[in-house]
Amino acid sequence: MVVRGAELSQVLQLRKKLSWRAVIGAIGRVAALGILLKWLCQVAQLRLRLWGPAGGPWPLPLIGTVGRLLKGGLGNMHKTSLQDVCLFGNMHAWAYFHKPMVNTNCPFHLRRMLVTHWKRYDRSDFEQAAFGELLGQGLILVGNDGWKDMRQLYQSGFNDRNILDFRKVLHTWSHDFVTSLLAAGKHGSQPVDIQEAVQKLTFRAIGLFTLGVDFESEPYLDDLQKTMGSTCSNYGELWFQLLEHTQLRVIFGPFRWWKVLKTASVRTFEKGHALLLRGIDRAIDGRAFALAADPTERKGAEPFHDLLSCMVGQKGKRFSREEIRHQALTFLFAGHDTTTNLIAWCLYLLVTHPVMLEQARATVRQGDMQFLRCCLLETLRMYPSVPLRSRTMSQADAFPAAEPARCPMLRTPGAVSLPSGTGVSFAINAVHRDPEHWPEPEVFKPSRFEAHVAKAPSALLTAPWASEEEPLKYLPFGAGPRRCIGERLALLEAEEICCAVLKRCKLQAAAGLPPVDEMQLTMRARDGIHLLLVEDLEVAG
């Protein structure tokens, strides 16, 4: 009887445990179902607001429409987005996992979002989550509330005089760069990956402009080799590896998987990021030491004021070391990979259009930069540096109905009201290839920008600004108050490097398949851009 009593007691305890497990399981299932239903209602509500002839793809439970976005692979998201514009129109609903999103590429809606009502459209919350560790709260990711004071502080570093002073250094480096290109290509007998070569130079340039240091100097290269080994040979290559990993964070951001899964990619990112922070700290300490010795000397040894002089010294007292790190990483990101892609794609487009290539070479040798500038602006139209962007609505807003004649691809009838918290994305590559605003959008036609370049100041080039009456159809550097602060620096750098190459080299495409554009946060060529370069002996002589 004692044994049976013990057995009965065990059975009762087991039933009690099972009943609790059943209750907990039931609660979990109800909660999950409630979350799922709430999400479906949000998406359906947004979908109904945008309902028209084609309101966008239906989302799947949990993953939304991310599967559709990734159907062509991570590197082809910009192409998939362009296809969706053709299928569903210039405005359609989609879902980033659980988050309802709207994609709009109507130039009149973009004007409202980026120019006239920009305060209602803050930085994207999932971009901040994915980029947060890499860039921190620098000028790109900081919210609209703290942005204005920060931008005003750096404005002096991006004034015309300072950028033109920096050009003197860049001119010398560009000449040395062409010499190294010719040597690497064995004077035309071996193809050179122009994208990889330019990547090294542009990181060196933005490092000098931002921090006043040369990342190709011995201390920095020694630290790179000790930390990263043979995985990368220069800081430009290291930065590309960091961006490649960050793209995975952007697309799978809600899961914060990198906090748990320490894959090889995550470990490489962490090592590389720590290496960059050490380099930034070395520059900060060096500038602080110089200031302690001579408080009146706030800039570095170069003939221009680097951006570190805006952060360290009298004006920089408000910044902690962590804040300086964030700003430095932001400028290294914004001023490096984007400029690399512009230069590489521009040279490739010229090589594939021999008549235009000869025109560009002839004009730059005469000191006339107008045609080259047109080529750079047209390159940015065809290959915008950052093809996909997004915002998160901090306040409710409504896109007014656009007349069909003004935005023919807008299939959504009437005004569209969107609640606070809605994500709004836009595909710059789709805007730049809209045949309603760009006839023959797939054709390389630098003449599109002749009128703008002809009236632009001779010293520094800027991208066209649309007037209030014009559609916002060209935005390689964004638009409105938060337009890229480094726009003129980027265009100057691209102009100087392309000019140096075109003056001294005869170029032609290497044998093989043409480069394929892919998105690694920025618009790159998947396997590089390989060119044959032969020194022009007439110019050399």
Side-chain angles (χ1 to χ4, degrees), residues 14 38 70 141 300 341 416 429 500:
L14 182 60
K38 180 182 177 182
L70 295 177
L141 294 183
N341 300 333
V416 178
N429 60 316

Side-chain angles (χ1 to χ4, degrees), residues 198-271:
V198 171
Q199 178 178 263
K200 178 180 177 180
L201 176 61
T202 55
F203 194 89
R204 186 185 184 195
I206 196 60
L208 188 70
F209 189 81
T210 301
L211 298 169
V213 300
D214 184 357
F215 277 98
E216 291 299 307
S217 62
E218 189 174 343
Y220 287 93
L221 289 178
D222 286 346
D223 201 5
L224 175 69
Q225 186 176 14
K226 290 175 184 176
T227 305
M228 307 305 296
S230 60
T231 57
C232 54
S233 59
N234 59 74
Y235 280 86
E237 194 175 339
L238 169 65
W239 194 264
F240 170 68
Q241 292 182 9
L242 299 185
L243 290 183
E244 194 173 30
H245 172 75
T246 301
Q247 176 149 303
L248 293 173
R249 295 190 176 193
V250 171
I251 198 61
F252 299 116
F255 303 109
R256 302 292 182 95
W257 56 272
W258 58 89
K259 298 289 186 182
V260 179
L261 299 176
K262 297 299 180 180
T263 62
S265 175
V266 174
R267 294 195 300 271
T268 298
F269 175 89
E270 291 174 346
K271 283 197 303 181

